């Protein structure tokens, strides 16, 4: 049976494989106790080190904006535990630049309006990682439309009426 010391001490009699999840960092000992067909017992143990992972976050220059002329600058924040290693960004299929690999990314633009999600992944030297997501919203662009009663007139006695039909 497996004996997960420092945790639940669960008896897993008759089990040749097992798994355990840990919620606290540190060294965790697991012991295997066996009894063979002749009634002979033996024990062995091993240690698993549970490592802390980095904490990722995202900030941006704007949470929302109009579609025309938009541009988002993203900054990935990380609290490193065991030294930095790598960064990865994804901005979705609608982004003109859909990925990145530096901590800060500038001038991200999207092909359409709507809610867009940026994802930042920070991985440390132990391959422990954390992911942060951030949503921004692009609003449809207003379309100005001028309606003229005429587009050419004589100088004497003229009058042009203007109206709009913008969306």
């Amino acid at each position: 049976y497996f004996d997960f010391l420092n945790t639940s001490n669960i008896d897993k009699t008759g089990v040749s494989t097992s798994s355990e999840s840990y919620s606290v960092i540190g060294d965790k000992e697991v012991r295997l106790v066996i009894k063979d067909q002749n009634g002979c017992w033996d024990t062995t143990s091993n240690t698993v080190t549970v490592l802390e992972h980095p904490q990722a976050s995202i900030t941006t220059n704007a949470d929302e904006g109009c579609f025309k002329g938009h541009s988002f600058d993203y900054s990935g924040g990380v609290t490193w535990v065991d030294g930095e290693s790598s960064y990865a960004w994804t901005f979705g299929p609608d982004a003109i630049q859909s990925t990145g690999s530096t901590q800060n990314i500038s001038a991200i633009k999207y092909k359409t309006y709507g809610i867009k999600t940026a994802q930042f992944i920070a991985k440390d030297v132990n391959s422990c990682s954390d992911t942060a997501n951030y949503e921004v919203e692009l609003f449809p662009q207003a379309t100005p439309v001028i309606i003229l009663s005429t587009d050419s007139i004589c100088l004497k006695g003229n009058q042009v009426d203007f109206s709009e039909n913008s969306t």
Side-chain angles (χ1 to χ4, degrees), residues 74-161:
Y74 293 98
S75 295
V78 184
T79 302
W80 293 109
V81 178
D82 273 331
E84 63 183 273
S85 181
S86 66
Y87 310 99
W89 286 95
T90 56
F91 302 102
D94 197 35
I96 292 171
Q97 175 185 343
S98 60
T99 62
S101 60
T102 60
Q103 188 170 1
N104 301 313
I105 301 285
S106 296
I108 298 300
K109 298 177 188 286
Y110 296 92
K111 298 173 189 170
T112 61
Y113 60 86
I115 295 175
K116 310 300 177 185
T117 302
Q119 183 177 76
F120 176 66
I121 302 169
K123 184 166 45 170
D124 69 15
V125 294
N126 297 310
S127 293
C128 296
S129 64
D130 192 33
T131 301
N133 293 303
Y134 198 97
E135 286 187 345
V136 297
E137 185 171 7
L138 285 169
F139 302 114
Q141 192 61 42
T143 306
V145 177
I146 298 174
I147 300 171
L148 308 172
S149 59
T150 183
D151 61 358
S152 64
I153 57 171
C154 296
L155 176 60
K156 189 174 183 182
N158 66 61
Q159 178 177 337
V160 178
D161 296 323

Side-chain angles (χ1 to χ4, degrees), residues 64-72 113 137-142:
E64 60 188 26
C66 295
F67 183 74
K68 185 177 182 180
H70 76 275
S71 179
F72 292 97
Y113 60 86
E137 185 171 7
L138 285 169
F139 302 114
Q141 192 61 42

